[in-house]
Amino acid sequence: MSTTSLPRLPSPARAAALRAALLAAGFTADGLLDLLGAPAYAALARSETVPALRATRGDGPLEGLVRLFLLQRPVPYDRAAAALPVEEALADGWLRRVGDDVHAVVDVRPYGGPDGEDWFIVSDLGCAVGGAGGIGSREEGVVLGVGGASTTLAGITVRTPVGSALDVGTGSGIQALHAAQHATRVTATDVNPRALDFTRLTLALSGAPEAELLTGSLFEPVGDATYDLIVSNPPFVISPGARLTYRDGGMGGDDLCRALVRQAGDRLNPGGYAQFLANWQHVEGEDWHERLRSWVPEGCDAWIVQRDVQDVTQYAELWLRDAGDHREDPEAYARRYEAWLDEFEARKTKSIGFGWITLRRTDAAVPSIVVEEWPHSVEQPLGDTVRAHFARQDYLREHDDAALLEGYFRLAVEVVQEQVGAPGAEDPEHVVLRQNRGMRRATKVDTVGAGFAGVCDGSLSAGRILDAIAHLVEEDPVVLRDRTPEAIRLLVEQGFLEPAEPAEPSQP
């Protein structure tokens, strides 16, 4: 791996003093929003810096820090010294001096933790979403900062306290930083040694505990060790070759993501979770659902959610632009584009899926494997939603239809009912139950289903509710009991109904 043109990284030895200075100046996620305002803040996410430059024309410490670390503009030495222990920052390599100005050596980006923590993500200059020039880098060993993929993975991760956590392909250390808040021991690995150095900086500048940092690919650095939680935002891009370490896995097609998922099963402790982002091929003549089912290791439940699909031309253009190839000579760009399309044609790939993969180690005789497409909006964070999904799978696995009818349920608090039909019609064409939280699912139900869900408050068993409904609609209760469990299972599986302990009926 060539990193000769990349800068030497700072020392974390005095990161605590630098952190204190940044916080004192208000260089936090909330402080940035207050200073820049929502429009300029949003423009940064589009790599547009003009609004932020206009908002930082003042001479206060915070304006200087934003220009220095986020916008990567030179700042006069005296101005930097008013906000930072500048000599120490120069000596430790966070800054470099050019004449009367100082320049940032790395990108330091405020990042708000889930409980209001003030964290900082350290990455290569211009390599964070909202950086001064976008990513657009073709340096092989470059290390990226915060992006949509990393925040998505952080949001879907189950955050129960655990003894051990592993971040595979840690990059700038975002997932390791999150894990350090609820794991006693954190291990982070990466094939790129510079990434581990950046992780060390991110943890130190964020005031987080140190992690075990190991160099190597996939699970090779950890040997046979097992963990309660494994997370990975891997270099999942399906490309012809391995030009960029942060992006390309170096294996053919989607083999890297498949290998990561397949190997994770043996590294999980009982009940442990492994959570990944991934790309996968939609191959001519193959069912993509079955393709992904084949990835799931033995002894694991799985929930796989496809969030997006791109045709091969859209996909190639996205990642060629990400690396800045579109700024090259048009003929060179065309050759690279052709190489991507040749690769997809050779593999009979018609489109590329993107989504989330969650495994949970189980001793169940028949694991639960759910593979679905859900491109609609969701409400992050989803860690509790993921954990609840597997808890419901346990419940359904342990209850046959007879036991289901003896069970008690509550309608999830965020569910509302919508009636759809022509204005003025006596009866709706159909009834929709909709979640306003979590996955924000919606499902059509018939009159019986709507009535059943509406009275589920934990005070009556499912069977008794159906008997009452059968009496109201003048239907044979035995027939209704026979045909309804499948619908109840679906409502439970998707989170509209929650298993409950029997409750006392409410008093009139």
Side-chain angles (χ1 to χ4, degrees):
M1 180 188 305
S2 174
T3 60
T4 54
S5 62
L6 294 170
R8 184 175 180 179
L9 298 187
S11 164
R14 288 179 284 194
L18 179 58
R19 171 179 170 80
L22 297 177
L23 295 179
F27 190 63
T28 64
D30 290 341
L32 289 186
L33 183 58
D34 290 342
L35 172 67
L36 302 179
Y41 195 79
L44 275 179
R46 303 190 298 270
S47 296
E48 295 291 347
T49 59
V50 172
L53 285 168
R54 291 174 61 86
T56 56
R57 288 181 293 190
D59 57 2
L62 181 55
E63 287 91 341
L65 291 174
V66 172
R67 283 181 170 252
L68 185 62
F69 286 119
L70 264 68
L71 304 178
Q72 280 111 56
R73 295 297 196 273
V75 170
Y77 177 95
D78 291 343
R79 187 175 180 189
L84 297 170
V86 71
E87 284 301 323
E88 289 85 347
L90 286 165
D92 289 348
W94 295 91
L95 306 174
R96 62 184 176 88
R97 187 168 183 173
V98 180
D100 293 331
D101 294 331
V102 294
H103 298 246
V105 172
V106 291
D107 184 298
V108 176
R109 191 154 303 257
Y111 179 70
D115 296 316
E117 300 93 344
D118 289 318
W119 292 339
F120 300 95
I121 309 301
V122 188
S123 64
D124 274 311
L125 292 174
C127 292
V129 171
I135 295 172
S137 174
R138 291 187 294 276
E139 293 284 358
E140 185 180 354
V142 74
V143 176
L144 304 189
V146 181
S150 52
T151 55
T152 293
L153 179 58
I156 67 173
T157 300
V158 176
R159 295 296 176 196
T160 52
V162 295
S164 58
L166 171 65
D167 178 12
V168 179
T170 187
S172 55
I174 300 165
Q175 309 308 324
L177 177 58
H178 277 277
Q181 310 310 303
H182 63 103
T184 303
R185 176 172 56 88
V186 176
T187 300
T189 70
D190 205 290
V191 71
N192 181 0
R194 290 186 80 249
L196 299 178
D197 291 335
F198 272 113
T199 294
R200 187 178 290 107
L201 294 172
T202 289
L203 295 174
L205 198 57
S206 298
E210 294 182 2
E212 179 185 30
L213 305 177
L214 304 174
T215 304
S217 178
L218 298 179
F219 295 101
E220 179 270 330
V222 301
D224 296 329
T226 58
Y227 300 86
D228 301 312
L229 173 67
I230 299 171
V231 292
S232 182
N233 177 19
F236 52 68
V237 176
I238 299 170
S239 63
R243 291 173 57 212
L244 301 173
T245 303
Y246 77 84
R247 188 189 73 177
D248 308 315
M251 298 185 186
D254 52 19
D255 285 355
L256 181 134
C257 290
R258 179 181 58 82
L260 181 63
V261 175
R262 291 290 298 170
Q263 295 174 22
D266 290 337
R267 271 72 178 191
L268 281 176
N269 291 327
Y273 289 91
Q275 299 187 261
F276 315 106
L277 301 185
N279 272 164
W280 44 79
Q281 299 169 118
H282 286 223
V283 178
E284 185 177 344
E286 288 188 21
D287 183 327
W288 70 269
H289 299 81
E290 293 306 314
R291 180 182 184 84
L292 290 175
R293 283 179 174 274
S294 72
W295 290 12
V296 178
E298 293 184 5
C300 287
D301 294 326
W303 185 21
I304 302 174
V305 182
Q306 179 167 273
R307 296 286 291 154
D308 188 28
V309 181
Q310 291 184 307
D311 67 50
V312 292
T313 59
Q314 292 174 313
Y315 188 80
E317 290 162 15
L318 169 67
W319 292 109
L320 288 169
R321 288 180 175 274
D322 175 80
D325 290 323
H326 61 300
R327 302 191 188 108
E328 288 188 349
D329 172 70
E331 292 187 3
Y333 174 76
R335 286 194 298 272
R336 285 216 168 102
Y337 200 153
E338 286 277 5
W340 284 67
L341 297 185
D342 287 344
E343 176 81 2
F344 291 136
E345 183 177 344
R347 294 181 176 277
K348 298 183 178 180
T349 302
K350 56 184 181 179
S351 55
I352 306 293
F354 166 80
W356 318 328
I357 298 176
T358 300
L359 308 176
R360 185 188 61 166
R361 192 73 189 174
T362 182
D363 59 2
V366 181
S368 163
I369 301 176
V370 176
V371 182
E372 61 174 322
E373 185 167 20
W374 188 252
H376 311 292
S377 64
V378 298
E379 184 186 53
Q380 287 273 37
L382 283 167
D384 288 344
T385 299
V386 172
R387 183 167 52 84
H389 166 88
F390 287 98
R392 292 193 300 269
Q393 297 302 315
D394 287 341
Y395 178 89
L396 293 172
R397 191 159 42 199
E398 295 164 1
H399 290 73
D400 60 15
D401 287 355
L404 202 66
L405 293 175
E406 293 176 0
Y408 292 72
F409 302 94
R410 292 184 185 275
L411 186 67
V413 294
E414 74 275 9
V415 174
V416 297
Q417 177 178 301
E418 300 174 359
Q419 296 186 5
V420 181
E426 183 175 347
D427 296 313
E429 294 177 13
H430 58 263
V431 176
V432 174
L433 299 181
R434 186 179 301 277
Q435 301 167 352
N436 287 324
R437 305 286 300 276
M439 293 293 287
R440 291 179 171 166
R441 296 186 187 275
T443 188
K444 291 182 182 180
V445 292
D446 58 16
T447 303
V448 171
F452 179 86
V455 297
C456 280
D457 62 1
S459 63
L460 295 173
S461 69
R464 289 186 62 188
I465 293 173
L466 290 177
D467 291 343
I469 291 174
H471 177 74
L472 289 173
V473 300
E474 299 181 349
E475 184 171 341
D476 185 338
V478 175
V479 173
L480 192 60
R481 279 175 172 253
D482 283 345
R483 70 176 177 86
T484 305
E486 182 178 354
I488 296 175
R489 284 187 181 278
L490 179 63
L491 292 175
V492 172
E493 179 177 320
Q494 295 191 344
F496 292 95
L497 294 178
E498 300 172 346
E501 294 296 325
E504 294 294 331
S506 57
Q507 295 298 319

